[in-house]
């Protein structure tokens, strides 16, 4: 009749485009697979973008639904609700819990051809018995990061042994009572466990069908005692890693050091971008004598990629999971953005791994150092109740730090809780000697 | 008279018996879906448990375990220590919150009070801040390294207060609850005060009562039912104490993951992967909550009935 008004024109347009959508949508979904991928890493979408560009048929959407520590509970919930992600990142220590709850798919067949190409330490973390449940991302060469400028100002050398570390920690306190060499976090069982791996501790071990839980071994208790002495003497700070208090202390130079692993530079950069170029890095101190003197560090953090047991596209999901942890292009993006040390052996020759990390431009031999540390890192495995045991550790260690005593007894408490829990669940389990 | 009666009767009879259900239906459906069904589900879960089947890592399978979870929960020392901590927080929080709320309500209700509207909103405002946000905010105020209070103390040459020791943490948590709770309770009490007939006050004034005497002899006794109500809310709020300590716990080792009963339930269910044990513990907490509420009602009803008679 009359000329359509603006509103009517818009409505018509909307109706038309909706109709087009309805016609086109089924055509797309027939030959294009949509996968969802849970990962908490900050730059992960940039890595996934490479895949999406190269694989127009399999589109992957990144979701940050769960943080590293929440993966078991959120994935169980999503699984129960019937819509878990197709692919998920999972820390090595949480993988066994996903397996026993039936949340992840068996990847033994797909991973078999890669076996020779994956570092044995990492392979061991994703394989239980003869079954491989995930594809490993990287390993965790442990290092001590320190403020080069401030330590030099105080005339203190970065320590090479734990004995020298204790001296250095006390020297820092003596020289400037506002500063600490580093902190001891009651909330960080992952790092503490790794420090005990260095003296040969194996918290969980699986031999055939027989589990051994050995958290309170004598060497591990000695490590606990070492840290108790430092905390009791106020030679190290006690704050929680990644808390705002800790972030402020890292940024303003109250804390001069950070015991962590290869991936720490981007994390420090996030907190203290102004300190770029002022950090130095040395391998983790070693014990100069006794058990484990030959070991460079332990297994802390690190993650693998697993496929959901309920994925509707398991083939494509496994393909993507293997790509993102093994493909050269994916790994070089990972190294550039997140400073990982890849589990895939041939990727360790990537050109990016011959350079210094951007945040520590002086450390030209950074990744060479990582390779040397990695070679001296023991192989361990995690058990099915790590999150429970770690929680007991946090509570007991929180008490111990406040009382400045009883660190070794914390390990007894964790041992008892972990052992009892596994016995109650019906595992065949023995305590360590 | 008779005519009116019959017409009224007819009007009532005209209502179909189904109609009342129509009115309460949505509420009943909602409470079935959000309260009754989860409750039943939790009861079922609390009677189950897991056993691992197969060798090696194995696979967890759900089995019926009877009352084993309840026995474990009842003998769990952490639960009762948690109750103890909860009681301490409650003993600090409830009297101070209600005392302040009552004081503010009475002050706002005095004649010729200035800035009443502004004060009322200012006191109520913290209640509008969600508990988790409030805890985060207070967390930053408490946290060494970023705390403005500690900084101020340092710049004045005073000892820096430590809000995160095993003892001071009770006050730190209670403070967040009081800060958030005073406004809400004040509004309830103030509304109740406005409902009191002003004739009573006039009579009292004629008899020579001061404002203070009016508050003590007239307002307080008449407020008693409202005070009981706010006490009940506060009590239930204390038993459900969860978000404040949970939000603060990553900041300090003064708070364990099992600090109060609800945190223990969360820990067991989601961290220790024991939904079944968590369900049993939460049932136990629910029973105790109901018992405490009934007890409080019973005591105060006897008291107030006696007092008014």
């Amino acid at each position: 009749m009359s000329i359509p008004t603006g509103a009517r024109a818009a409505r018509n347009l909307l109706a038309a485009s909706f109709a087009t959508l309805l016609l086109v949508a089924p055509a797309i979904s027939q030959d294009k697979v949509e996968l969802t991928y849970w990962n908490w890493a900050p730059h992960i979408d940039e890595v996934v973008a490479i895949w999406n560009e190269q694989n127009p048929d399999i589109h992957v959407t990144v979701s940050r639904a769960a943080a590293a520590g929440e993966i078991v509970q959120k994935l169980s919930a999503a699984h129960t609700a019937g819509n878990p992600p197709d692919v998920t990142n999972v820390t090595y220590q949480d993988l066994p819990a996903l397996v026993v709850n039936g949340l992840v798919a068996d990847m033994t067949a797909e991973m078999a051809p890669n076996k020779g190409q994956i570092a044995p330490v990492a392979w061991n973390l994703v394989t239980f018995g003869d079954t491989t449940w995930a594809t490993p991302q990287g390993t965790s060469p442990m290092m001590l990061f320190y403020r080069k400028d401030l330590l030099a100002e105080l005339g203190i050398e970065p320590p090479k042994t734990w004995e020298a570390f204790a001296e250095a920690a006390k020297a820092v306190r003596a020289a400037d009572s506002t500063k600490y060499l580093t902190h001891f976090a009651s909330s960080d069982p992952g790092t503490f466990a790794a420090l005990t791996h260095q003296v040969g501790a194996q918290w969980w071990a699986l031999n055939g069908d027989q589990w051994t839980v050995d958290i309170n071994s004598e060497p591990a208790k000695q490590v606990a005692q070492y840290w108790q002495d430092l905390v009791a003497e106020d030679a190290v700070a006690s704050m929680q890693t990644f808390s705002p208090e800790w972030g402020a202390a890292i940024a303003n130079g109250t804390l001069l050091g950070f015991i962590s692993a290869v991936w720490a530079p981007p994390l420090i950069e996030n907190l203290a971008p102004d300190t770029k170029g002022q950090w130095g890095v040395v391998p983790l101190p070693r014990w100069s004598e006794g058990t484990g003197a030959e070991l460079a560090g332990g297994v802390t953090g690190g993650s693998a990629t697993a496929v959901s047991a309920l994925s509707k596209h398991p083939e494509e999901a496994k393909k993507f999971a293997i790509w993102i942890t093994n493909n050269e292009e994916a790994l070089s993006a990972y190294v550039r953005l997140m400073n990982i040390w890849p589990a895939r052996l041939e990727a360790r020759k990537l050109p990016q791994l011959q350079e210094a990390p951007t945040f520590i431009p002086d450390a030209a031999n950074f990744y060479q150092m990582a390779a040397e540390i990695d070679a001296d890192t023991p192989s361990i495995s995690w058990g099915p109740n790590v999150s429970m045991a770690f929680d007991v550790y946090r509570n007991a260690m929180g008490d111990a730090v406040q009382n400045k005593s009883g660190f070794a007894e914390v390990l007894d408490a964790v041992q008892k809780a972990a052992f009892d829990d596994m016995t109650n669940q019906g595992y065949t389990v023995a305590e360590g000697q | 008279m008779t005519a009116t009666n019959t017409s009224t009767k007819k009007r009532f009879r005209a209502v179909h018996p189904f109609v009342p259900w129509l009115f309460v239906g949505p509420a009943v459906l909602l409470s079935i879906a959000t309260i009754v069904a989860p409750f039943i589900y939790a009861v079922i879960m609390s009677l189950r448990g897991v056993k691992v089947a197969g060798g090696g890592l194995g696979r967890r399978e759900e089995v019926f375990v009877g009352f084993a979870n309840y026995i474990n929960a009842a003998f769990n020392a952490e639960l009762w220590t948690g109750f103890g901590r909860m009681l301490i927080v409650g003993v600090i929080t409830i009297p101070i919150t209600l005392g302040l709320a009552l004081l503010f309500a009475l002050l706002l209700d005095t004649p010729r009070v200035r800035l009443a509207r502004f004060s009322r909103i200012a006191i109520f405002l913290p209640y509008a801040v969600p508990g988790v946000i409030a805890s985060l905010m207070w967390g930053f105020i408490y946290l060494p390294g970023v705390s403005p209070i500690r900084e101020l103390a340092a710049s004045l040459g005073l000892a820096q207060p430590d809000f995160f020791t095993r003892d001071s943490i009770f006050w730190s948590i209670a403070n967040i609850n009081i800060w958030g709770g005073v406004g809400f309770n004040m509004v309830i009490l103030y509304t109740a005060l406005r409902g009191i007939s002003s004739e009573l006050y006039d009579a009292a004034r004629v008899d020579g009562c001061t404002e203070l005497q009016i508050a003590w002899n007239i307002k307080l006794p008449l407020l008693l039912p409202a005070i009981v109500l706010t006490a009940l809310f506060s009590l239930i709020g204390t038993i459900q104490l969860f978000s404040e300590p949970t939000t603060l716990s990553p900041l300090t080792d003064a708070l364990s993951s099992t600090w109060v009963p609800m945190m223990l339930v969360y820990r067991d269910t989601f961290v220790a992967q024991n939904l079944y044990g968590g369900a049993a513990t939460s049932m136990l907490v629910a029973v105790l909550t109901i018992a405490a509420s009934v007890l409080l009602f019973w005591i105060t009803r006897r008291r107030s009935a006696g007092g008014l008679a």
Side-chain angles (χ1 to χ4, degrees), chain A residues 141-278:
Chain A
M142 289 182 78
M143 298 169 175
L144 171 63
F145 298 85
Y146 64 97
R147 282 292 293 273
K148 220 167 29 175
D149 54 338
L150 297 176
L151 269 194
E153 238 171 63
L154 301 177
I156 295 166
E157 288 284 311
K160 289 194 176 64
T161 65
W162 285 111
E163 292 84 351
F165 183 90
E167 304 277 302
K170 288 168 198 165
V172 169
R173 298 295 294 148
D176 183 345
S177 66
T178 64
K179 294 191 186 334
Y180 288 95
L181 178 59
T182 188
H183 74 295
F184 179 80
S186 66
S187 65
D188 198 352
T191 299
F192 185 80
L195 292 175
T196 69
H197 297 157
Q198 195 184 16
V199 293
Q202 297 268 347
W203 288 30
W204 284 268
L206 175 60
N207 199 343
D209 287 344
Q210 170 74 46
W211 282 92
T212 307
V213 177
D214 190 12
I215 296 167
N216 57 348
S217 64
E218 207 39 55
K221 281 185 166 179
Q222 281 169 17
V223 174
Q225 188 60 45
Y226 172 85
W227 284 98
Q228 176 182 313
D229 293 344
L230 289 180
V231 169
E233 285 178 62
D234 194 35
V236 295
S238 50
M239 42 179 88
Q240 308 304 344
T241 316
F242 299 116
S243 72
E245 181 188 13
W246 180 81
I250 285 283
N252 67 21
T254 301
L255 282 181
L256 307 182
F258 178 30
I259 293 170
S260 186
V262 65
W263 54 72
L267 301 179
I268 303 175
E269 184 169 21
N270 235 354
L271 292 166
D274 299 341
T275 59
K276 181 175 174 173
Q278 290 164 355

Side-chain angles (χ1 to χ4, degrees), chain B:
Chain B
M1 197 63 181
T2 338
T4 348
N5 259 348
T6 33
S7 80
T8 325
K9 264 187 189 162
K10 260 185 192 162
R11 225 178 37 236
F12 281 127
R13 276 198 192 130
V15 174
H16 193 276
F18 179 69
V19 171
W21 286 107
L22 215 61
F23 283 102
V24 296
V28 170
L29 282 181
L30 263 179
S31 62
I32 287 174
T34 60
I35 299 171
V36 180
F39 190 86
I40 293 169
Y41 182 69
V43 171
I44 295 170
M45 283 295 137
S46 70
L47 300 174
R48 302 184 71 81
V50 287
K51 274 282 169 241
V52 169
L57 259 185
R59 185 61 56 91
R60 277 159 60 118
E61 278 167 7
E62 225 179 80
V63 290
F64 179 80
V65 298
F67 289 98
N69 292 323
Y70 285 96
I71 294 164
N72 285 339
F75 286 102
N76 185 352
E78 276 178 292
L79 175 68
W80 303 112
T81 327
F83 262 110
R85 296 195 191 98
M86 182 205 86
L87 276 180
I88 297 176
V89 175
V91 165
I92 301 171
T93 309
I94 299 176
I96 298 182
T97 309
L98 293 188
L100 285 175
L102 187 64
L103 179 71
F104 288 139
L106 288 171
L107 284 176
L108 287 173
D109 193 51
T110 49
R112 297 183 301 280
V113 66
R114 289 186 195 171
L115 290 173
R117 224 181 138 73
F118 171 79
S119 313
R120 211 166 61 222
I121 291 172
I123 298 167
F124 182 72
L125 213 55
Y127 179 69
V129 179
V132 173
I133 308 285
S135 307
L136 276 177
M137 185 192 78
W138 281 104
F140 275 90
I141 294 176
Y142 296 152
L143 189 66
V146 294
S147 165
I149 297 178
R150 285 174 62 96
E151 199 168 313
L152 187 72
S155 65
L156 292 176
L158 300 170
Q160 293 193 332
D162 191 343
F163 299 100
F164 285 147
T165 67
R166 296 257 149 172
D167 300 321
S168 64
I169 192 71
F170 289 100
W171 295 91
S172 304
I173 301 264
N175 175 53
I176 303 176
N177 288 332
I178 294 166
W179 180 80
V182 166
F184 172 73
N185 290 295
M186 180 204 69
V187 166
I188 294 181
L189 296 177
Y190 179 73
T191 315
L193 273 175
R194 302 306 286 178
I196 297 172
S197 161
S198 64
E199 287 167 17
L200 286 172
Y201 303 151
D202 293 339
R205 284 192 190 104
V206 169
D207 287 348
C209 261
T210 62
E211 284 303 323
L212 213 63
Q213 283 171 321
I214 292 181
W216 186 253
N217 292 318
I218 298 177
K219 291 182 179 176
L220 262 185
L222 291 177
L223 264 185
L224 210 57
I227 294 174
V228 170
L229 188 73
T230 51
L232 190 65
F233 282 153
S234 305
L235 182 77
I236 293 172
T238 307
I239 295 174
Q240 294 181 341
L241 186 63
F242 175 74
S243 57
E244 292 84 3
T246 305
T247 313
L248 293 185
S249 70
L251 303 179
T252 167
D253 45 34
L255 285 165
S256 67
S257 66
T258 55
W259 202 67
V260 282
M262 293 321 283
M263 288 176 78
L264 176 69
V265 169
Y266 180 86
R267 198 283 302 261
D268 283 351
T269 308
F270 295 109
V271 179
Q273 289 280 298
N274 182 6
L275 172 66
Y276 319 95
T281 311
S282 63
M283 280 300 137
L284 217 58
V285 173
V287 168
L288 288 170
T289 309
I290 294 166
S293 309
V294 169
L295 192 71
L296 183 82
F297 251 137
W298 185 68
I299 292 171
T300 48
R301 256 183 58 193
R302 280 185 44 171
R303 267 243 182 111
S304 60
L308 285 176

Side-chain angles (χ1 to χ4, degrees), chain A residues 238-385:
Chain A
S238 50
M239 42 179 88
Q240 308 304 344
T241 316
F242 299 116
S243 72
E245 181 188 13
W246 180 81
I250 285 283
N252 67 21
T254 301
L255 282 181
L256 307 182
F258 178 30
I259 293 170
S260 186
V262 65
W263 54 72
L267 301 179
I268 303 175
E269 184 169 21
N270 235 354
L271 292 166
D274 299 341
T275 59
K276 181 175 174 173
Q278 290 164 355
W279 290 82
V281 54
V282 287
L284 194 68
R286 293 189 188 222
W287 295 97
S288 57
E289 52 191 46
T291 338
E294 71 284 359
L295 295 175
V299 173
T300 179
S303 64
T305 306
V307 169
S308 168
L310 290 186
S311 173
K312 287 185 188 71
H313 309 284
E315 247 171 73
E316 290 85 352
K318 285 173 185 171
K319 201 173 150 197
F320 169 73
I322 289 171
W323 179 87
I324 201 154
T325 45
N326 291 279
N327 179 276
E328 192 173 306
E329 234 178 305
L331 288 176
S332 62
Y334 246 119
V335 170
R336 181 167 48 83
L337 297 164
M338 291 168 252
N339 293 175
I340 64 154
W341 180 244
R344 191 168 180 89
L345 297 172
E346 67 186 11
R348 294 179 173 181
K349 300 188 190 86
L350 283 170
Q352 284 86 350
L353 292 175
Q354 316 311 320
E355 300 160 11
T358 47
F359 185 65
I360 311 182
D362 305 346
N365 65 340
F366 185 72
Y367 291 106
Q368 194 193 331
M369 194 164 90
E372 286 163 14
I373 298 167
D374 202 52
D376 285 341
T377 301
S379 190
I380 64 118
S381 51
W382 296 112
N385 57 348

